[in-house]
Amino acid sequence: MSEPQLPAVEVEGLRREFKTKGPPVVALDGVSMKVRQGEVFGVLGPNGAGKTTTIRILSTLLLPTGGWARVMGFDVAKEPEKVRKVINMASGAEKAGYDFISAKRNLWFFSQLYGIPGDVADRRIGELSERLGLTKYLDRKFYALSTGYRQRATIARAFVNDPKVVFLDEPTIGLDVMTARSIRDFLIEEARKNGRTIILASHNMAEVEAICDRVAIVDKGKILTEGSPEDLKRSLGAPALVMEVSPPQAGFEMLAKVPGVKGFTSSIEEERGLSTVQAVVDSDAAARAAEDAVRKAGLKVVASWRKQATLEEVFVALVGRGFKEREEQDVV
Ligand SMILES: Nc1ncnc2c1ncn2[C@@H]1O[C@H](COP(=O)(O)OP(=O)(O)OP(=O)(O)O)[C@@H](O)[C@H]1O
Ligand SMILES: [Mg+2]
């Protein structure tokens, strides 16, 4: 029997509080998780859920105020220099690089910070650029790259030191569909072929669904649930109900009282003169009861259909509301 493999990331009871003028902000409130080597693991949650805080602690940029975390067996608080040798990270919000040197010099500079021998660095930069479609733009100054190419360079940088574990915070935010897709393909390949572990913080459900082997759904500093996207969706039981309702309106509180309705989201579509409501239901009977409740409130159900669950519905079932509504609700 072979030894059980060392987890790439292990987190137990992780807490992080921030002091503020008012009461302290609890960004992480007891997070525990274990990520296997070679896994693409998603941390999915709405704004303020604690994703960036998690990534910053795991990549040794921030200390936890409670609990512990290990990366490839090294404690992030007690052995940060050992952790740093085996990881790298990139954030889609930063697009970090030195503006007045070329993309290639940027990558070279970072490779030399890691002490990578020149010929190895050259080869790696060439290979990463090729796979990320960056080769043509390598000699361009960083500032002169478009957002998408700057982001490709930032992703290349995150792999230049041959890291075991890569932390990515919203790596495709603000990118067009094609660029986002090629970055995702690259990430999947890095995990599958090169056995790298990738921890991806994102509030993009489609992205997480597309590339993650497992996902932790987080909200308000806590993990609500964890599993493969397929298992999480399957756990919902019945397809979601979609209704187009007229006249358009925002409040569908009557749905909260319908037995078997686990949660709902709604949005107003001005041009079409209606509201779209999506309800997570545990049975077909609950879906019928939800439609009845809307009608009883004096509204017209113009059309309704059922839809296969996505991770959005998983979140709705757990929280009662969607990502967007959760984010709006927290604005004070
Ligand atoms: N330096 C800080 N000082 C005070 N509060 C902070 C600080 N950093 C983060 N927070 C708070 O901690 C909570 C979690 O923030 P975090 O950035 O981890 O969320 P997130 O999930 O990455 O959100 P987003 O999707 O907006 O990036 C938020 O309430 C945030 O306001
Ligand atoms: Mg964030």
Side-chain angles (χ1 to χ4, degrees):
M1 280 258 296
S2 61
E3 294 248 319
Q5 206 183 27
L6 177 73
V9 173
E10 201 174 1
V11 173
E12 191 60 51
L14 204 62
R15 279 185 70 79
R16 175 70 213 203
E17 287 182 18
F18 288 105
K19 291 202 180 81
T20 63
K21 281 184 192 147
V25 174
V26 181
L28 291 183
D29 192 10
V31 165
S32 303
M33 62 191 194
K34 208 185 258 192
V35 180
R36 286 188 292 276
Q37 290 185 42
E39 233 178 349
V40 182
F41 189 88
V43 180
L44 176 71
N47 290 152
K51 305 180 295 291
T52 297
T53 304
T54 305
I55 295 281
R56 290 180 69 205
I57 291 174
L58 293 177
S59 53
T60 75
L61 298 174
L62 183 73
L63 283 169
T65 49
W68 55 261
R70 290 199 197 104
V71 177
M72 297 303 291
F74 302 122
D75 189 293
V76 294
K78 296 182 192 130
E79 307 165 285
E81 67 295 333
K82 288 185 178 154
V83 173
R84 281 176 207 143
K85 286 213 174 82
V86 294
I87 66 162
N88 204 337
M89 67 99 66
S91 158
E94 286 170 31
K95 302 191 180 71
Y98 292 98
D99 266 348
F100 294 99
I101 57 175
S102 70
K104 190 174 189 173
R105 292 296 295 175
N106 263 289
L107 290 171
W108 175 260
F109 174 76
F110 285 104
S111 75
Q112 295 315 291
L113 284 184
Y114 288 105
I116 301 166
D119 54 335
V120 178
D122 257 344
R123 199 169 54 229
R124 228 176 255 163
I125 291 168
E127 191 225 339
L128 288 168
S129 305
E130 198 59 44
R131 287 173 51 212
L132 282 160
L134 193 63
T135 310
K136 270 197 294 186
Y137 301 92
L138 274 179
D139 293 324
R140 247 198 227 178
K141 297 254 192 309
F142 204 70
Y143 76 84
L145 293 174
S146 67
T147 309
Y149 283 93
R150 220 174 308 158
Q151 190 56 4
R152 288 171 203 246
T154 303
I155 297 289
R157 199 202 71 207
F159 289 85
V160 84
N161 62 323
D162 195 19
K164 292 246 180 258
V165 186
V166 182
F167 299 98
L168 299 172
D169 193 0
E170 312 274 6
T172 64
I173 199 159
L175 301 181
D176 65 75
V177 176
M178 289 306 288
T179 306
R181 184 181 298 167
S182 59
I183 288 177
R184 284 174 201 145
D185 289 346
F186 170 84
L187 298 178
I188 293 174
E189 214 173 88
E190 280 301 312
R192 299 281 176 278
K193 285 205 190 129
N194 295 337
R196 264 187 256 281
T197 310
I198 294 175
I199 314 285
L200 173 84
S202 178
H203 67 257
N204 182 331
M205 326 229 181
E207 170 162 281
V208 166
E209 240 181 283
I211 70 171
C212 293
D213 300 308
R214 277 194 307 139
V215 51
I217 299 185
V218 293
D219 186 39
K220 298 190 169 174
K222 286 197 162 85
I223 295 184
L224 302 177
T225 188
E226 192 198 288
S228 71
E230 294 70 35
D231 286 348
L232 293 178
K233 288 187 282 179
R234 210 174 297 132
S235 70
L236 292 175
L241 167 72
V242 186
M243 288 177 278
E244 291 183 339
V245 179
S246 123
Q249 58 146 30
F252 287 91
E253 291 312 313
M254 65 295 230
L255 291 174
K257 297 191 197 84
V258 178
V261 172
K262 296 185 192 170
F264 61 92
T265 64
S266 70
S267 57
I268 295 175
E269 294 185 39
E270 299 281 2
E271 318 83 86
R272 299 180 62 208
L274 42 81
S275 289
T276 301
V277 186
Q278 304 206 12
V280 179
V281 293
D282 67 6
S283 63
D284 297 346
R288 285 193 294 274
E291 277 197 51
D292 286 345
V294 170
R295 286 199 189 92
K296 272 196 200 120
L299 297 161
K300 190 167 178 226
V301 178
V302 180
S304 73
W305 63 93
R306 307 292 292 279
K307 148 183 187 292
Q308 278 312 310
T310 65
L311 288 179
E312 166 101 47
E313 277 82 42
V314 175
F315 184 84
V316 171
L318 291 162
V319 174
R321 291 293 186 278
F323 265 32
K324 220 175 115 276
E325 287 143 316
R326 172 55 124 213
E327 288 166 356
E328 281 160 6
Q329 169 195 329
D330 284 344
V331 175
V332 280

